[in-house]
Amino acid sequence: MQRLRFHLALIAAKCSIILIKMLGRNASHNPGAIALKICPKFMELAPKAPKVICVTGTNGKTTVANLLTDALVSDSKKVVSNRLGSNIVPGCTTNLINSLNIWGKCVVDATVYEVDERASRLILPYLKPDFLVVNNLFRDSLKRNGHPDYIFNILNTYCPDNTKLILNADELCSSQLKPNNDRVFFGIGKQETDLTKSINLIADYSFCPECGEVLDYDYLRYHHIGYAKCNKCGFHSHDADYLATTIDRENNTLTVMVNGEEQKYPLISDITFNIYNELSVISTLLELGYSYEDAYKLVSQIKVPDSRFNQDEINGVPVIQVLSKGQNSVSSSRAFDYVSEEKGNKVVILAMDDRHDRKKSVEYIGWIYDVDYEFFKRDSIKQIIAAGPRCYDHKVRLLLAGVDESIIHTCFEEVDSVELINWEEIDSVYILYDVYTYDLSCQIKEKVIKHLEGAK
Amino acid sequence: MIIELLYPRMCCLYGDKGNTIFLQKCFPDAEFVFTELNDKPYFLDNNVDLCCMYSMSEPNQEKALERLMPLKEELKEAFENSNTQFLFLGNSMELLGKYIETEDGYKIDALDVLDIYSVRHAPKRFNSLIRAKMEDITLIGYTSRFSDTFGITEELALCKNDVGLGSDAKSNLEGILTKNIIGTYLLGPLLPSNPDFAKWLIKRLGIESPTLPHEDVLYTCYKTKLNEYNIPDLELN
């Protein structure tokens, strides 16, 4: 009976894919939802690909899943991934459907799933992945994710015992996952720019998980990312099996130490979080059995989609959109750090207020006190315009961070921010936006461009 | 002025640190004591004006209790007789009750300072905007938690909500106020978000007519937000 339901569900889902595509839409969510409606055990019953790889974590999972898929496809492997769809149960089910033919036979070499970390409890036990890649667990949406310990507990409970984990040795939460599973670690060794004490407001996991003592760091990159050790009980971060030793930004190479052998790869992005993303891809390829030479060839063919930055230059004035994910203090602090370090006098427009909450609610804005607004206390930042319904909250936060009140401006409508710019004193315009305010940031950019073109 | 932060590395979820940043601006000359997890609370052996503890994950609640339970009697004595004001935000308030019941029914003994107890409901999470009356002050903020606290009476409650969940999701009584203990499930930057409440707290520290840093901006922000609570059919979560 269950098999019959499974086949009916598969046929219905396949038909829906044809229909949805005829309507010109991405058939990424609904086919999975239909299949699950007919056969709730679809994910469990469906045959799996010879290699099933799941990617999860707070930041970087989309990038890693896409890079990995691209690498495998460039090796002429037949691979499906949920890159166009959702990363919760229906989206992952659709991906599974795409790996099967109408008779329910698996027709791909591998499936790559980007898995929402909170939804992983409904996905991992049924997909039974061969590999689970986890880049990091940071603070994320308070409403949805609670806190990283809660997400850790979900992954630790629901990841099958025979899944091999590929983990970030430099991140002390996710690297403690499933201690009895087969695990390998990647990491970036000590770099010249590293610190030994955190300069960020938020540094979770800075005390020993074994004895509670404050941890020391051989090196600390940002927040709690680094190599930690406990002077009391001897606990320390995992040593990386795949350790990036040299990041050569001039020659765009990344040297990785593997089993005592130096392997040189192309550096596909010089931003630190993307180097972690690349390292997790290299580690996964090597774990899949690729030789260094083959892995090198595949990595040479992949490109990191840099959707976080978008730059135009009008009459010599750069106008830069920077993604600064709301509720995500690490993402936002990284963005603030990047903007504050850029050369030249600038105006920064903050357009990160939640898109949904403004309609019928009052956004809980407490997360901005986890973000390093202190980075904006630089002489090169000439104006900061807090734009959106929570503009006064940003103003209070900026003042408490020590930013001079005379450079802070506020407006309730994001696009009105452009009217407040004092063009005399700036060389560049930075627009910081949330995932859901991208369109508003584009409207701001358009208005800025219009002004700059008019000023020609 | 001496202000102690209890276990600030692990008790600082989602903007709680905003209160520390704010207090540092309010009292630039104060001594701030950051008590680490393996250290004895400073207020047990020293005069402290204000001790703050913020919210934490559930595993960390258990770590905190492991450290504090051996000091239970000393702590009770300090809560009862010291001049320290105590501010407990989020689920740190739960440590003061008789026990915390986990999702699978296991009861973790707590400090038994107050006749209350808490029950965890994970994965069910309570998210809610809150507006509450406390004497002539209107408090606004947000709660987000896996647990409820029961046993809070009218006499014990810090405030009464007219918008959002109480400490027990079926009640409108929120938080605790007894002698020198102030506790609330409101989390994050409670003080900079509620200038009237911040002044009320500072007065309890012996300062008669406090002026807040950037007071005009704080009030503009507060009033703007307070006004938004009147949106028809306000979505609470």
Side-chain angles (χ1 to χ4, degrees):
Chain A
M1 187 61 186
Q2 275 192 350
R3 295 308 303 174
L4 182 64
R5 283 176 84 113
F6 165 75
H7 283 286
L8 280 173
L10 181 61
I11 291 164
K14 289 278 187 194
C15 292
S16 76
I17 290 172
I18 295 166
L19 283 171
I20 294 166
K21 284 191 173 168
M22 280 166 67
L23 293 170
R25 292 190 195 149
N26 284 331
S28 59
H29 177 92
N30 288 332
I34 290 165
L36 290 164
K37 194 92 184 158
I38 298 168
C39 177
K41 287 189 168 179
F42 187 91
M43 204 177 253
E44 188 182 340
L45 294 170
K48 309 297 184 302
K51 288 289 176 218
V52 178
I53 305 159
C54 290
V55 183
T56 192
T58 309
N59 293 340
K61 56 186 175 289
T62 308
T63 305
V64 172
N66 291 349
L67 289 175
L68 198 53
T69 306
D70 292 345
L72 294 173
V73 167
S74 68
D75 185 40
S76 310
K77 292 278 186 290
K78 204 161 179 205
V79 186
V80 288
S81 77
N82 54 334
R83 74 191 309 160
L84 292 177
S86 76
N87 58 9
I88 54 175
V89 180
C92 289
T93 307
T94 301
N95 195 31
L96 185 54
I97 290 162
N98 289 335
S99 73
L100 306 174
N101 66 14
I102 193 80
W103 313 111
K105 192 168 176 255
C106 180
V107 289
V108 299
D109 300 309
T111 41
V112 177
Y113 295 87
E114 179 199 329
V115 177
D116 173 80
E117 55 276 28
R118 187 166 170 262
S120 62
R121 72 189 175 95
L122 305 168
I123 296 167
L124 297 180
Y126 309 112
L127 288 182
K128 293 185 172 57
D130 299 288
F131 295 100
L132 175 66
V133 185
V134 191
N135 244 2
N136 48 59
L137 289 175
F138 291 126
R139 297 179 183 206
D140 205 345
S141 164
L142 165 73
K143 294 181 190 178
R144 260 174 35 80
N145 286 10
H147 46 71
D149 282 351
Y150 174 60
I151 301 298
F152 175 91
N153 189 44
I154 291 175
L155 290 169
N156 209 41
T157 306
Y158 293 98
C159 173
D161 293 340
N162 51 3
T163 293
K164 186 166 192 175
L165 285 97
I166 298 172
L167 302 171
N168 183 347
D170 297 342
E171 199 280 291
L172 206 47
C173 181
S174 57
S175 63
Q176 305 304 307
L177 280 165
K178 301 292 288 185
N180 296 323
N181 277 36
D182 202 1
R183 306 184 298 177
V184 290
F185 298 90
F186 59 88
I188 302 175
K190 189 170 184 166
Q191 303 295 304
E192 270 181 16
T193 49
D194 287 342
L195 310 162
T196 50
K197 292 226 180 302
S198 180
I199 56 161
N200 298 108
L201 277 176
I202 296 305
D204 291 325
Y205 309 101
S206 58
F207 57 95
C208 177
E210 301 288 336
C211 74
E213 200 68 8
V214 177
L215 291 168
D216 267 353
Y217 287 88
D218 278 355
Y219 52 88
L220 189 61
R221 209 146 281 138
Y222 47 78
H223 300 274
H224 64 273
I225 298 292
Y227 189 95
K229 60 185 183 192
C230 175
N231 292 329
K232 189 179 174 193
C233 74
F235 169 88
H236 58 82
S237 297
H238 287 282
D239 293 312
D241 302 281
Y242 303 101
L243 180 71
T245 50
T246 310
I247 300 162
D248 184 345
R249 289 180 164 89
E250 270 180 29
N251 297 303
N252 284 326
T253 59
L254 177 67
T255 306
V256 185
M257 189 67 85
V258 184
N259 293 327
E261 176 203 354
E262 276 197 348
Q263 301 185 351
K264 210 171 255 190
Y265 291 91
L267 182 69
I268 59 175
S269 164
D270 65 356
I271 304 165
T272 305
F273 59 73
N274 272 332
I275 300 173
Y276 278 111
N277 292 336
E278 179 179 350
L279 259 178
S280 66
V281 171
I282 292 169
S283 309
T284 309
L285 291 173
L286 296 174
E287 284 297 318
L288 282 166
Y290 285 97
S291 65
Y292 162 51
E293 289 73 20
D294 288 340
Y296 177 90
K297 275 184 214 154
L298 299 183
V299 173
S300 305
Q301 290 174 63
I302 55 177
K303 283 195 173 64
V304 59
D306 214 347
S307 55
R308 283 158 193 265
F309 305 99
N310 187 356
Q311 177 165 344
D312 284 284
E313 195 165 311
I314 314 297
N315 292 337
V317 179
V319 184
I320 303 135
Q321 290 167 285
V322 183
L323 175 62
S324 174
K325 279 187 192 171
Q327 305 268 343
N328 189 316
S329 52
V330 171
S331 162
S332 291
S333 290
R334 296 290 82 229
F336 284 23
D337 191 15
Y338 163 78
V339 170
S340 68
E341 288 283 344
E342 288 296 283
K343 286 186 186 127
N345 294 333
K346 49 192 97 71
V347 54
V348 180
I349 300 170
L350 304 176
M352 298 121 57
D353 292 349
D354 191 83
R355 197 64 192 270
H356 175 78
D357 279 349
R358 70 181 64 188
K359 289 179 195 155
K360 284 205 139 193
S361 192
V362 185
E363 181 186 358
Y364 171 68
I365 197 76
W367 64 274
I368 65 175
Y369 286 86
D370 287 348
V371 179
D372 296 290
Y373 280 62
E374 286 73 8
F375 286 140
F376 287 148
K377 222 168 50 181
R378 299 262 169 100
D379 289 343
S380 65
I381 296 179
K382 296 296 179 192
Q383 301 159 49
I384 304 175
I385 305 173
R390 298 274 63 86
C391 58
Y392 292 130
D393 292 274
H394 294 286
K395 182 168 183 179
V396 170
R397 177 70 190 93
L398 285 161
L399 289 170
L400 292 178
V403 175
D404 193 312
E405 188 167 2
S406 66
I407 71 162
I408 308 169
H409 308 275
T410 53
C411 59
F412 287 103
E413 297 294 332
E414 280 83 350
V415 284
D416 292 347
S417 58
V418 184
E419 319 288 344
L420 299 173
I421 298 174
N422 178 357
W423 299 95
E424 300 283 303
E425 54 183 358
I426 55 147
D427 305 318
S428 50
V429 181
Y430 286 84
I431 307 162
L432 273 61
Y433 64 95
D434 176 37
V435 176
Y436 301 105
T437 56
Y438 177 66
D439 59 331
L440 289 173
S441 81
C442 289
Q443 288 174 37
I444 296 170
K445 187 169 93 173
E446 216 170 281
K447 215 167 161 184
V448 167
I449 289 173
K450 214 174 249 179
H451 173 92
L452 290 168
E453 284 176 343
K456 198 173 178 180
Chain B
M1 178 77 64
I2 300 178
I3 298 174
E4 180 177 10
L5 279 304
L6 207 49
Y7 310 153
R9 284 174 196 273
M10 70 173 202
C11 303
C12 65
L13 287 179
Y14 298 106
D16 290 341
K17 223 171 191 172
N19 300 297
T20 310
I21 297 169
F22 180 72
L23 287 167
Q24 284 169 329
K25 286 275 175 190
C26 291
F27 302 108
D29 298 325
E31 180 187 346
F32 282 78
V33 179
F34 299 93
T35 301
E36 300 293 355
L37 184 58
N38 287 346
D39 294 342
K40 188 178 181 185
Y42 189 74
F43 66 84
L44 288 176
D45 298 317
N46 299 278
N47 289 326
V48 167
D49 297 280
L50 173 66
C51 176
C52 304
M53 191 180 202
Y54 306 144
S55 45
M56 65 204 95
S57 70
E58 292 68 30
N60 285 344
Q61 253 187 339
E62 289 159 38
K63 283 182 184 167
L65 278 174
E66 271 172 32
R67 268 69 174 183
L68 294 175
M69 284 301 276
L71 303 167
K72 192 171 162 179
E73 294 311 316
E74 261 187 275
L75 287 165
K76 274 186 175 180
E77 166 68 21
F79 289 137
E80 193 68 29
N81 296 318
S82 77
N83 292 321
T84 308
Q85 294 292 316
F86 294 93
L87 177 65
F88 291 91
L89 297 190
N91 63 359
S92 67
M93 175 177 79
E94 297 174 1
L95 307 187
L96 302 173
K98 288 185 171 304
Y99 60 85
I100 299 167
E101 189 177 322
T102 64
E103 298 78 2
D104 45 12
Y106 179 73
K107 287 179 183 168
I108 304 162
D109 285 337
L111 296 172
D112 196 16
V113 176
L114 300 170
D115 193 14
I116 57 174
Y117 65 96
S118 306
V119 180
R120 293 181 190 159
H121 307 278
K124 184 176 180 191
R125 192 158 175 86
F126 300 104
N127 293 310
S128 177
L129 284 170
I130 286 177
R131 184 177 65 194
K133 284 280 177 204
M134 186 195 122
E135 299 172 9
D136 57 347
I137 296 170
T138 303
L139 272 165
I140 50 173
Y142 198 77
T143 185
S144 184
R145 59 189 203 246
F146 287 117
S147 44
D148 265 344
T149 291
F150 298 90
I152 294 177
T153 58
E154 294 248 2
E155 295 71 43
L156 185 61
L158 173 73
C159 51
K160 207 178 240 187
N161 295 0
D162 65 351
V163 170
L165 302 173
S167 293
D168 147 16
K170 288 180 187 151
S171 145
N172 66 346
L173 298 174
E174 208 315 288
I176 48 173
L177 173 61
T178 172
K179 294 192 86 171
N180 47 2
I181 299 176
I182 305 149
T184 172
Y185 264 139
L186 285 165
L187 48 74
L190 179 69
L191 300 177
S193 306
N194 289 278
D196 287 333
F197 179 78
K199 283 187 172 181
W200 173 85
L201 178 69
I202 293 171
K203 279 183 193 167
R204 288 171 72 95
L205 301 177
I207 293 161
E208 276 182 23
S209 310
T211 309
L212 304 176
H214 313 294
E215 188 166 311
D216 53 337
V217 187
L218 292 180
Y219 272 105
T220 305
C221 184
Y222 169 72
K223 286 175 185 165
T224 305
K225 210 179 288 171
L226 190 60
N227 202 31
E228 290 175 50
Y229 275 71
N230 297 322
I231 298 170
D233 304 322
L234 180 73
E235 281 179 10
L236 298 183
N237 54 15

